């Protein structure tokens, strides 16, 4: 298992296959990372892979002194469920949070 960072993405790789991903956009002159999409292959769901990917974006934001806006519905639910864990980086979800399917 490996989580790999590319500009705007974190990928979950296993056996050279991308099985999960989270994407983010930079907003507010780069001071906000807006989580726009989260996906994990159905064979891996329930293993907290999506949360690990979201956590990778949050760790990046922490290391760079940025905030995270959970525009993806999965991320919005995660931020609400574990509000104390994400309190230091969390912003209110954007208007798109309701339209992003939970994958």
């Amino acid at each position: 298992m490996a989580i790999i960072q590319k500009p705007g993405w974190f990928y979950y790789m296993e056996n050279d296959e991308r099985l999960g991903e989270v994407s983010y956009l930079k907003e507010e002159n780069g001071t906000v990372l807006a989580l726009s999409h989260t996906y994990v292959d159905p064979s891996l769901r329930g293993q907290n892979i999506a949360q690990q990917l979201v956590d990778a974006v949050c760790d990046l934001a922490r290391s760079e002194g940025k905030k995270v806006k959970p525009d993806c519905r999965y991320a919005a639910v995660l931020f609400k469920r574990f509000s104390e864990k994400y309190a230091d980086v969390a912003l209110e979800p954007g208007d798109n949070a309701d339209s992003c399917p939970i994958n």
Side-chain angles (χ1 to χ4, degrees):
M1 167 194 127
I3 294 180
I4 299 174
Q5 179 184 3
K6 301 271 183 172
W9 296 86
F10 280 89
Y11 299 105
Y12 174 82
M13 301 291 291
E14 192 172 279
N15 298 323
D16 294 325
E17 187 176 359
R18 186 171 69 189
L19 297 173
E21 62 190 31
V22 63
S23 64
Y24 62 90
L25 302 170
K26 291 184 177 182
E27 296 181 351
E28 304 292 326
N29 295 319
T31 62
V32 173
L33 304 180
L35 291 166
S36 56
H37 168 75
T38 305
Y39 173 80
V40 173
D41 186 88
S43 68
L44 296 174
R45 293 189 183 156
Q47 298 180 37
N48 292 323
I49 304 298
Q51 184 173 357
Q52 292 175 41
L53 290 164
V54 169
D55 286 351
V57 175
C58 292
D59 290 343
L60 175 65
R62 285 181 184 104
S63 72
E64 295 181 355
K66 297 179 180 181
K67 295 290 186 180
V68 178
K69 184 170 68 167
D71 282 345
C72 171
R73 186 169 40 167
Y74 171 81
V77 168
L78 192 66
F79 276 36
K80 186 174 184 177
R81 187 176 295 155
F82 301 104
S83 59
E84 65 286 340
K85 179 178 181 178
Y86 300 106
D88 63 324
V89 293
L91 293 176
E92 289 296 314
D95 294 336
N96 298 331
D98 289 334
S99 65
C100 178
I102 297 176
N103 289 320

